[in-house]
Amino acid sequence: MEKIFTIKNNTVFTRMYTKGKSSPQSTVVVYCRKNPSLKKAHIGITTSKKMGGAVERNRARRIIREAYRTLILEGSGISDTPYYFVFVARKKCFLKETRMQDVYRDMKRAFFELGVLS
């Protein structure tokens, strides 16, 4: 299992929202920005308190993290790229009928739009 590096600094999140490229999908919005000083990709996941309580927010984070992990295990090589990725959960991601496969499909489409995957 490959380690997933996370973003913990608020200034990185703020910089991603202002200067990063974004791709809005139905379940997540993906922000990305290249950083040559990194060796591996770093991710951050954001969920809003307006969308639901702690249980719903944690479920959305787990689904997003698992979709990203599945994308890595597929052999796409995303984790070896020097990028910051921020995933923002949208309202559809909080619904109980939303599955990991839906988020995975949207995430993959966003990576193609952003030019991370070829």
Side-chain angles (χ1 to χ4, degrees), residues 36-61:
S37 66
L38 297 176
K39 292 184 173 126
K40 297 260 186 187
H42 287 60
I43 69 164
I45 301 172
T46 306
T47 55
S48 174
K49 281 188 174 182
K50 293 178 183 178
M51 298 298 177
V55 174
E56 290 84 9
R57 291 195 309 270
N58 286 331
R59 180 180 180 276
R61 283 189 208 112

Side-chain angles (χ1 to χ4, degrees), residues 4 6 14-15 26-27 35 44 48 52 64-65 73 75 83 88 100 105 107:
I4 296 176
T6 57
T14 307
R15 195 175 313 124
S26 62
T27 57
N35 188 350
S48 174
I64 292 170
R65 201 175 304 115
L73 292 175
Y83 276 95
V88 180
M100 187 274 299
R105 185 187 65 244
M107 197 178 287

Side-chain angles (χ1 to χ4, degrees), residues 28-31 43-46 64 68 85-89 107 111:
V28 291
V29 178
V30 179
Y31 290 90
I43 69 164
I45 301 172
T46 306
I64 292 170
Y68 179 75
F85 297 113
V86 172
F87 305 108
V88 180
M107 197 178 287
F111 284 141

Side-chain angles (χ1 to χ4, degrees), residues 64-115:
I64 292 170
R65 201 175 304 115
E66 188 58 32
Y68 179 75
R69 188 174 289 127
T70 305
L71 204 60
I72 289 173
L73 292 175
E74 187 181 75
S76 60
I78 289 177
S79 64
D80 296 329
T81 58
Y83 276 95
Y84 282 127
F85 297 113
V86 172
F87 305 108
V88 180
R90 297 186 90 176
K91 183 125 179 119
K92 190 174 178 185
C93 193
F94 289 91
L95 301 176
K96 289 196 182 213
E97 58 267 7
T98 302
R99 300 180 339 214
M100 187 274 299
Q101 289 83 4
D102 301 329
V103 178
Y104 169 79
R105 185 187 65 244
D106 286 346
M107 197 178 287
K108 195 169 185 178
R109 188 179 313 127
F111 284 141
F112 276 115
E113 285 179 10
L114 294 169

Side-chain angles (χ1 to χ4, degrees), residues 7-21 31 33 46 84 86 88:
I7 301 170
K8 294 184 173 51
N9 197 346
N10 191 31
T11 57
V12 176
F13 280 97
T14 307
R15 195 175 313 124
M16 292 293 293
Y17 297 140
T18 57
K19 296 184 180 179
K21 293 192 302 186
Y31 290 90
R33 183 172 176 165
T46 306
Y84 282 127
V86 172
V88 180

